[in-house]
């Protein structure tokens, strides 16, 4: 019965996405305890860390619930029942976000070397944040009542000051500038790869972007949640954010980026396994590269960027020179001259070609009738649409559809 309760407690915290670990002493792997902060980020010997944690945990009394906060403001709850050698630990978790001025104050209070600023900022980003402490307290108390018996356990509160030996093992590391911090190079490498990925996407280079993305994903931080799927989804969302920034730097208007990016996030939440996540990541990378190749406006002046964005956003609207000049609050003659100078085409011809490009896509991928396609491309007169289509492509819309479908069959 007790084992059933313990299994239920583990599953309850896992479902709630609250980090929880059950272990027995002596334990030889405590990297989960602080997401490898001490061993990989600070470069402290793992054997020394394991030794001190085991010594501390051996002092835990049965039927106790210990709330503990370390010097890094990481919070834990340790639970040990009377008839078991197994210890259940909830954490690490944050009760408040460590960012902005809060991060700066904590960073300076720890007397950390400056080269650890960005690695530590990244570390805190990966720690589980729980804004509703009452829910956690109620959940923990309920579990302790079931395992130990209601009112049959003691609640203790501890902090780092009560464990001088534990503090000592990292304080020296933090205060010696020449100490070889093992994970600094790892974090620096990740940022270098991230910048390379941004540059590759900014050039619309799909092959290079895929290569950089694979290297970027290999620099992931230690797993922070009990759910591997949740971690993989979060990493995919992080990649989407990096790719979004790359497209923005390449001069793609935010309206195109938002539409694509928001759709990605919604799709990511529906991914059910590692294979789906891997496939969607590749699709997302190619999609951003094609977004850049299609909507890259970095080399145009601001008025022309806005004009092209208006055109590509809604081809059914009034895209005449007079209408666009009014939207941009510029003189029609000035806009006409500037548009042809920067794009090589008169504005009206540019609009017509974009409409025909859209028509070609609809003809190839839908069974819509020609009149419906013409209307969706902003051309109400089917005869005018047919003449324009033939002038630009060299064939009628009907012939184009037949040819495209034949090519697909072959």
């Amino acid at each position: 019965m007790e084992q059933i309760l313990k299994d239920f407690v583990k599953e309850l915290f896992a479902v709630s996405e609250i980090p929880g670990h059950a272990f027995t002493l002596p334990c030889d792997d405590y990297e989960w305890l602080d997401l490898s902060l001490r061993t990989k980020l600070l470069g402290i010997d793992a054997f020394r860390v394991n030794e001190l944690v085991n010594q501390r945990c051996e002092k835990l009394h049965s039927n106790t619930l210990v709330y503990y906060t370390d010097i890094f403001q990481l919070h834990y709850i340790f639970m040990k029942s009377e008839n078991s050698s197994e210890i259940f630990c909830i954490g690490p978790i944050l009760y408040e976000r460590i960012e902005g001025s809060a991060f700066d104050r904590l960073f300076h209070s720890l007397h950390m070397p400056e080269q650890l600023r960005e690695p530590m900022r990244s570390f805190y980003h990966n720690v589980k944040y729980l804004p509703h402490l009452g829910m956690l307290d109620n959940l923990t108390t309920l579990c302790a009542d079931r395992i130990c018996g209601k009112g049959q356990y003691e609640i203790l509160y501890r902090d780092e000051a009560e464990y001088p030996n534990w503090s000592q093992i990292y304080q020296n590391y933090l205060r010696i500038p020449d100490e070889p911090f093992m994970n600094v190079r790892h974090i620096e490498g990740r940022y270098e790869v991230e910048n390379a990925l941004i540059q590759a996407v900014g050039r619309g280079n799909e092959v290079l972007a895929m290569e950089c993305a694979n290297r970027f994903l290999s620099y992931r931080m230690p797993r922070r949640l009990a759910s591997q799927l949740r971690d993989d989804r979060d990493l995919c969302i992080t990649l989407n954010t990096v790719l979004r920034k790359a497209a923005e730097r390449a001069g793609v208007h935010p309206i195109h980026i938002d539409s694509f990016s928001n759709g990605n996030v919604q799709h990511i939440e529906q991914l059910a396994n590692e294979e789906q996540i891997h496939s969607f990541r590749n699709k997302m990378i190619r999609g951003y590269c094609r977004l850049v190749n299609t909507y890259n406006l970095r080399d145009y002046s601001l008025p022309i960027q806005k004009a092209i964005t208006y055109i590509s956003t809604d081809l059914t609207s009034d895209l005449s020179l007079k209408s666009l000049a009014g939207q941009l609050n510029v003189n029609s003659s000035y806009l006409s001259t500037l548009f042809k100078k920067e794009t090589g085409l008169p504005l009206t011809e540019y609009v017509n070609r974009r409409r025909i490009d859209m028509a070609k896509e609809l003809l190839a991928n839908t069974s819509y009738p020609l009149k419906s396609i013409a209307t969706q491309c902003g051309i109400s007169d089917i005869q005018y649409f047919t003449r324009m289509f033939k002038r630009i492509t060299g064939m009628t819309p009907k012939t184009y559809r037949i040819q495209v479908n034949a090519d697909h069959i072959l």
Side-chain angles (χ1 to χ4, degrees), residues 336 339-340 343-351:
S336 176
F339 196 95
K340 185 173 183 180
T343 68
L345 291 171
L347 187 145
T348 300
E349 180 65 13
Y350 181 92
V351 170

Side-chain angles (χ1 to χ4, degrees), residues 97 108 123 145 166 178 192 198 210 215 217 226 230 233 240 278 284 343 398 403:
R97 295 192 187 278
H108 289 302
F123 166 79
D145 287 344
W166 177 247
D178 296 329
E192 288 178 8
I198 289 174
M210 294 287 288
R215 290 167 56 203
L217 294 168
R230 180 68 264 166
R233 285 175 179 165
N240 182 59
H278 177 76
M284 191 166 63
T343 68
K398 184 177 179 180
Q403 180 175 308

Side-chain angles (χ1 to χ4, degrees), residues 208-228:
L208 182 59
M210 294 287 288
E211 177 185 334
C212 292
N214 289 333
R215 290 167 56 203
F216 171 77
L217 294 168
S218 70
Y219 278 91
R220 65 186 301 161
M221 292 295 286
R223 178 175 165 182
R224 67 184 179 93
L225 296 175
S227 169
Q228 183 67 55

Side-chain angles (χ1 to χ4, degrees), residues 57 189 203 258 320 374:
C57 290
R203 295 197 294 267
D258 274 358
S320 63

Side-chain angles (χ1 to χ4, degrees), residues 103-284:
F103 171 81
D104 290 335
R105 287 194 299 271
L106 179 59
F107 186 82
H108 289 302
S109 72
L110 294 170
H111 307 287
M112 285 188 160
E114 192 60 30
Q115 60 261 44
L116 281 181
R117 178 177 292 276
E118 290 309 315
M120 286 298 296
R121 200 189 303 275
S122 179
F123 166 79
Y124 280 114
H125 178 73
N126 283 322
V127 180
K128 178 70 175 180
Y129 165 61
L130 287 180
H132 307 296
L133 300 185
M135 181 192 73
L136 177 62
D137 285 339
N138 292 337
L139 189 60
T140 303
T141 302
L142 180 63
C143 293
D145 287 344
R146 295 296 183 271
I147 292 177
C148 301
K150 192 169 185 179
Q152 301 300 310
Y153 56 90
E154 182 181 11
I155 299 178
L156 302 175
Y157 296 89
R158 299 285 184 263
D159 60 30
E160 197 78 2
E162 300 182 45
Y163 301 98
N165 291 339
W166 177 247
S167 302
Q168 187 178 11
I169 69 168
Y170 60 79
Q171 285 174 345
N172 289 335
Y173 281 80
L174 297 179
R175 289 174 170 79
I176 300 177
D178 296 329
E179 187 63 33
F181 300 99
M182 294 165 58
N183 209 36
V184 171
R185 288 188 296 274
H186 177 87
I187 299 295
E188 289 174 346
R190 183 166 64 86
Y191 276 83
E192 288 178 8
V193 172
E194 180 179 317
N195 289 329
L197 173 60
I198 289 174
Q199 292 176 11
V201 174
R203 295 197 294 267
N205 189 327
E206 292 185 30
V207 175
L208 182 59
M210 294 287 288
E211 177 185 334
C212 292
N214 289 333
R215 290 167 56 203
F216 171 77
L217 294 168
S218 70
Y219 278 91
R220 65 186 301 161
M221 292 295 286
R223 178 175 165 182
R224 67 184 179 93
L225 296 175
S227 169
Q228 183 67 55
L229 179 59
R230 180 68 264 166
D231 258 12
D232 289 342
R233 285 175 179 165
D234 287 348
L235 187 61
C236 200
I237 291 173
T238 298
L239 177 62
N240 182 59
T241 302
V242 173
L243 296 172
R244 176 190 177 108
K245 181 60 65 176
E248 181 184 0
R249 291 185 183 180
V252 178
H253 194 278
I255 194 169
H256 302 303
I257 299 174
D258 274 358
S259 176
F260 187 65
S261 176
N262 293 339
N264 287 339
V265 173
Q266 293 174 16
H267 193 88
I268 288 169
E269 292 300 330
Q270 299 172 6
L271 300 175
N273 54 54
E274 183 179 355
E275 182 179 352
Q276 290 182 6
I277 289 174
H278 177 76
S279 175
F280 185 75
R281 278 200 303 248
N282 293 343
K283 179 181 178 181
M284 191 166 63

Side-chain angles (χ1 to χ4, degrees), residues 271-326:
L271 300 175
N273 54 54
E274 183 179 355
E275 182 179 352
Q276 290 182 6
I277 289 174
H278 177 76
S279 175
F280 185 75
R281 278 200 303 248
N282 293 343
K283 179 181 178 181
M284 191 166 63
I285 295 164
R286 290 192 295 268
Y288 273 106
C289 287
R290 292 168 189 177
L291 202 66
V292 169
N293 288 328
T294 303
Y295 299 111
N296 178 5
L297 305 178
R298 183 171 48 195
D299 297 331
Y300 296 111
S301 64
L302 185 59
I304 303 308
Q305 286 183 21
K306 290 184 176 181
I308 292 175
T309 298
Y310 281 131
I311 294 168
S312 59
T313 300
D314 185 5
L315 288 171
T316 65
S317 60
D318 182 0
L319 299 177
S320 63
L321 176 62
K322 180 179 179 180
S323 175
L324 285 173

